[in-house]
Amino acid sequence: MSEFSNLLIECFRNYNIWFLSIIIVLQCIGIPTGASLLVMASGAFAYAGEFNAVSLLLEIWFFSWVGDNIAYIMWRFIGDKVLNRHSKIKFYIQPKIFKAKNYLSKHGRSSVFFSRFIISAMGPFINATAGLSRYKFWTFSLFVALGELFWTCIYLGLGYWFGDSFETIIPIVTGFGQFITYIAILIIALYFFIKAIRNKKSKH
């Protein structure tokens, strides 16, 4: 592991769940902090008896849910203020927000849910999009909770299952996550490309 990863793990061992909660919330906002790695490490520590696995699961799940909701609220209210102050940015962004709103009205639940664990790299982007487009908060919060439960169970479970050798699966998990993200981006790009072609044909 890198020196940064070792530093994260050492800080977690010293400051426990409070440090991990900050790391998780920051990642939900969009700052890459290595939260997934740290959750796996916490699972390994639970396997070794340093932490209670059930308590860890509930705490990680809760702070993940809180972090996503903070990100949503931040983009919903701060985003509005920024756009209202800068008319040029608003003129450029507003049509995209309208398209995002239409997309989320059709696919919002699945987008929020699956971006928590299958394509977790898209999570902060979905949080921002949901906030800016004023997607229904309670629907967002519910599917965030469900998706983050899967994310917590997967990464905490991997760390617990592999125990002291959890470091050996980090490259595999990281590579798989990147692969899924690239595939998801490709599918989304193809979807909008095909949709644009159909719209052009329908106009002629």
Side-chain angles (χ1 to χ4, degrees):
M1 291 190 296
S2 65
E3 291 184 6
F4 177 71
S5 299
N6 289 326
L7 178 62
L8 285 178
I9 292 172
E10 188 61 32
C11 288
F12 170 65
R13 301 186 83 162
N14 291 333
Y15 302 105
N16 300 327
I17 190 63
W18 299 112
F19 175 76
L20 180 56
S21 66
I22 294 171
I23 293 297
I24 290 172
V25 170
L26 289 176
Q27 181 153 299
C28 291
I29 293 172
I31 302 171
T33 58
S36 299
L37 165 66
L38 208 50
V39 171
M40 280 203 315
S42 70
F45 296 148
Y47 173 81
E50 296 185 35
F51 299 95
N52 181 277
V54 176
S55 296
L56 267 180
L57 188 149
L58 294 175
E59 289 164 347
I60 293 168
W61 180 31
F62 173 75
F63 285 113
S64 301
W65 175 76
V66 167
D68 287 325
N69 282 290
I70 288 174
Y72 173 95
I73 293 168
M74 180 184 74
W75 283 102
R76 180 163 179 166
F77 292 102
I78 297 178
D80 277 353
K81 289 184 178 180
V82 171
L83 291 178
N84 289 331
R85 287 184 180 179
H86 302 280
S87 56
K88 290 183 179 180
I89 297 176
K90 185 175 182 178
F91 178 78
Y92 178 75
I93 296 292
Q94 200 70 44
K96 293 175 174 57
I97 293 176
F98 182 74
K99 288 181 180 180
K101 189 173 183 178
N102 288 336
Y103 175 82
L104 288 176
S105 66
K106 297 177 182 178
H107 311 288
R109 295 177 180 181
S110 58
S111 297
V112 172
F113 178 70
F114 289 113
S115 64
R116 299 310 103 181
F117 61 102
I118 293 181
I119 46 173
S120 55
M122 298 290 289
F125 173 76
I126 295 295
N127 293 346
T129 304
L132 287 171
S133 63
R134 305 182 77 82
Y135 183 66
K136 292 181 181 178
F137 175 73
W138 294 113
T139 302
F140 173 84
S141 187
L142 172 61
F143 283 88
V144 156
L146 295 173
E148 291 294 8
L149 178 59
F150 276 81
W151 177 80
T152 304
C153 289
I154 289 170
Y155 283 94
L156 189 66
L158 283 171
Y160 191 90
W161 180 266
F162 285 91
D164 295 335
S165 60
F166 84 95
E167 294 180 16
T168 61
I169 64 167
I170 291 175
I172 299 172
V173 173
T174 302
F176 180 75
Q178 291 175 345
F179 174 75
I180 293 297
T181 300
Y182 294 147
I183 292 296
I185 292 172
L186 178 61
I187 291 172
I188 293 170
L190 286 173
Y191 169 80
F192 284 109
F193 178 72
I194 293 170
K195 188 175 180 181
I197 292 175
R198 287 179 177 175
N199 288 337
K200 285 184 178 180
K201 287 182 178 179
S202 62
K203 290 179 181 178
H204 291 293

